[in-house]
Structures are given as C-alpha cells and as structure tokens.
Amino acid sequence: MWRLIRRQHEVEPRAAGEAAAEAAVTVAPVEPDLQAAAFFDVDNTMMRGASIYHFARGLATRGMFTTSDLFKFAVGQAVFRLRGNENPEHIAVARETALAFVAGAKVDDVVRLGEEIYDEVMADRIWGGTRALAQGHLDAGQRVWLVTATPVELARVIAQRLGLTGALGTVAETSNGIYTGRLVGDLLHGPAKAEAVRALARREGLDLTRCTAYSDSANDLPLLSLVGQAVAINPDSELREHARRHDWPIKDFRTGRRATLTALPIAAGVGAVAGGVAAAVALRRHYRTQR
C-alpha cells in the first residue's frame, strides 16, 4: 500500500508537468526594430530630482560628509533652478566641479557605490509613467537609451537597473582604473546631447526621423528637435510653451503640484553636475582616510 501511494506521488507531478508543457503557448518574439530608438533625459524626466543629488545623499548616509555639506548642496541646486541661467561662467564652474567629483577616485568604487545607492535611494524615485513609456519602446523592439549630464558610470547603473539598452553621459578620463581629473570632451549638456545622439545614430544605423526623445527641460531642445517625435515630460515653463506651439505631446506625472520648488531640489541641466562638488568632497575624504 505504501509503495502504491508513493508511486502516485511520483507519477502525478510528472504527469501534471508534462501536460502543462504540452499546453504551453509559444509567444512569438518581438522582431527588433533596428532603425528606431528612444532617448530619455534622467533628472526629473525618468527620476524625481537630480540623480547626482541622490548619489550625494547616499554618500552622506555613509558618513562620507556632513549633513551641512548636503544642505549647502541642496540650497545651491535650488538657487540654480530658480535663476535658470546657464551662462559660460556657470558652465565653466560646472566643468570644474565635475572634474573634482571624480579626480583620484577608483572607477570600480564609483560604480559599486552607484549600484548600492540606486537600490537604496533612487529606485523608489523613478517616475512610473516614464518607466512605462520606456517599456513600451522596448516591447516594440526598439532600443532605449538614457542621455544625461550625469557621469556615465552612474547613468549606466540607472540604465542597467531599469533594463534599458544603455546610457550616454558625461565621460571622465581614466588611467589604470583611476579618474585623472580631466573630461573626455565636455559635459553632456544642451547641444552636446544632440551631438552624442547623432554619433550614436551613425554607429548604430538609426533613422533619427523614426526616433523619440523625452525631456523635462528647455535645455534639451537641441536633442528634442533632432528626432522625429519629441515628448515633454514634467516640463519646465519654457519647454511647455514650446511643446504647445509645436504640438508635441506633454505628459506630467507630478501630483498635487506643478513645477514648484520642493525640499528635494530639481536639477536643471548643468546644475545637476555642478552639484557633484558635494560628492567630490565625500570621495576625497574617503580616499584620504584609506591611505
């Protein structure tokens, strides 16, 4: 009797498994659309606030710099956003702070910290609506790229965590796995984003007239005007007005407020990278203590 019961327990699961396999429906894979792609800005388009600020906040929780440093950083971001001016002097300052952000740091350490901090701080700040738009492009067989002034290593972490194709970001020079303190080219901001997408399109064989770009900022008009379809996401006032004049779709995923200033600073273009000075202080202190 025991052997009979045991035999039934062995046979029934096997039979159920075989029946399920036979009844399985094979879903035809989506055929890749190799000439179309989507390009998403990060700060306040894919993510609430500035990715570099979230990174700095993550470093603060690790005791790498003080809450006072973080507060000064937040105030600087807010002032920059309210003034909204990005003259050559501001861009030069942003370049210097971007260099300070990475100088002397190990690439592997920046990537590791970026992964940890994304999981702890950034993941919950992804706009669900924007993420769904990106997934729609992926489901259609199109590649999806982030395009941001954020350092490319952090941008890649965000793209990987979201299951996207890749990221275009500000590139810092390295030597033997260490950042030299020099940039390769300049900050990926404004017209530079459009040039980066043009270069990627040439390399990947993309038809830009079949591509889509998403951003919250008028600073990205060169990129938005480059592709066949532009979409304004959580737009600032200038981009909203431009989008209306050109009949671009506008999607606002913010709730209970328009583009008002909040406790978490919303970065605008170069302002996001300029804020990296706080994280630079943290990393420099960290490496001094490790020596």
Side-chain angles (χ1 to χ4, degrees), residues 276-289:
V277 69
V281 172
L283 287 174
R284 285 171 180 266
R285 289 178 181 173
H286 173 69
Y287 284 110
R288 282 202 298 267
T289 61

Side-chain angles (χ1 to χ4, degrees), residues 224-291:
L224 294 168
S225 302
L226 178 66
V227 297
Q229 178 65 71
V231 182
I233 303 289
N234 307 324
D236 60 27
S237 58
E238 184 178 348
L239 178 57
R240 184 181 293 274
E241 181 180 349
H242 187 95
R244 285 173 174 165
R245 288 201 309 267
H246 292 79
D247 294 323
W248 291 352
I250 298 173
K251 297 183 181 295
D252 201 326
F253 301 120
R254 295 166 292 190
T255 57
R257 61 180 183 276
R258 300 282 296 225
T260 53
L261 187 64
T262 63
L264 177 63
I266 300 173
V270 177
V273 181
V277 69
V281 172
L283 287 174
R284 285 171 180 266
R285 289 178 181 173
H286 173 69
Y287 284 110
R288 282 202 298 267
T289 61
Q290 298 299 311
R291 292 174 181 171

Side-chain angles (χ1 to χ4, degrees), residues 165-233:
T165 306
L168 300 173
T170 297
V171 178
E173 183 184 77
T174 63
S175 177
N176 298 319
I178 304 293
Y179 293 107
T180 65
R182 295 184 292 272
L183 291 182
V184 178
D186 214 327
L187 301 175
L188 197 67
H189 165 72
K193 285 187 178 182
E195 289 303 319
V197 168
R198 281 195 187 96
L200 183 70
R202 289 193 297 269
R203 191 190 80 185
E204 300 293 320
L206 297 173
D207 179 355
L208 289 174
T209 65
R210 299 190 57 235
C211 293
T212 310
Y214 301 82
S215 178
D216 74 296
S217 173
N219 296 318
D220 286 337
L221 282 174
L223 169 60
L224 294 168
S225 302
L226 178 66
V227 297
Q229 178 65 71
V231 182
I233 303 289

Side-chain angles (χ1 to χ4, degrees), residues 26 71 81 113 121 135 144 155 162 193 274 281:
T26 301
F71 176 74
R81 180 65 175 184
L113 288 168
V121 180
Q135 188 60 49
V144 177
L162 294 175
K193 285 187 178 182
V281 172

Side-chain angles (χ1 to χ4, degrees), residues 83-213:
R83 289 178 178 174
N85 50 2
E86 296 183 5
N87 59 34
E89 181 180 350
H90 286 138
I91 294 175
V93 170
R95 182 184 174 90
E96 292 303 315
T97 54
L99 294 174
F101 174 74
V102 295
K106 296 179 181 178
V107 176
D108 289 346
D109 286 349
V110 170
V111 172
R112 175 180 53 80
L113 288 168
E115 291 172 341
E116 292 178 2
I117 293 170
Y118 176 87
D119 293 339
E120 294 172 6
V121 180
M122 302 183 193
D124 291 340
R125 298 183 182 278
I126 297 296
W127 294 107
T130 310
R131 179 69 186 88
L133 291 171
Q135 188 60 49
H137 288 282
L138 293 172
D139 292 342
Q142 299 176 7
R143 286 167 286 181
V144 177
W145 298 81
L146 298 180
V147 187
T148 175
T150 293
V152 68
E153 288 78 13
L154 182 56
R156 285 173 183 159
V157 167
I158 299 170
Q160 288 168 357
R161 287 297 197 262
L162 294 175
L164 308 182
T165 306
L168 300 173
T170 297
V171 178
E173 183 184 77
T174 63
S175 177
N176 298 319
I178 304 293
Y179 293 107
T180 65
R182 295 184 292 272
L183 291 182
V184 178
D186 214 327
L187 301 175
L188 197 67
H189 165 72
K193 285 187 178 182
E195 289 303 319
V197 168
R198 281 195 187 96
L200 183 70
R202 289 193 297 269
R203 191 190 80 185
E204 300 293 320
L206 297 173
D207 179 355
L208 289 174
T209 65
R210 299 190 57 235
C211 293
T212 310

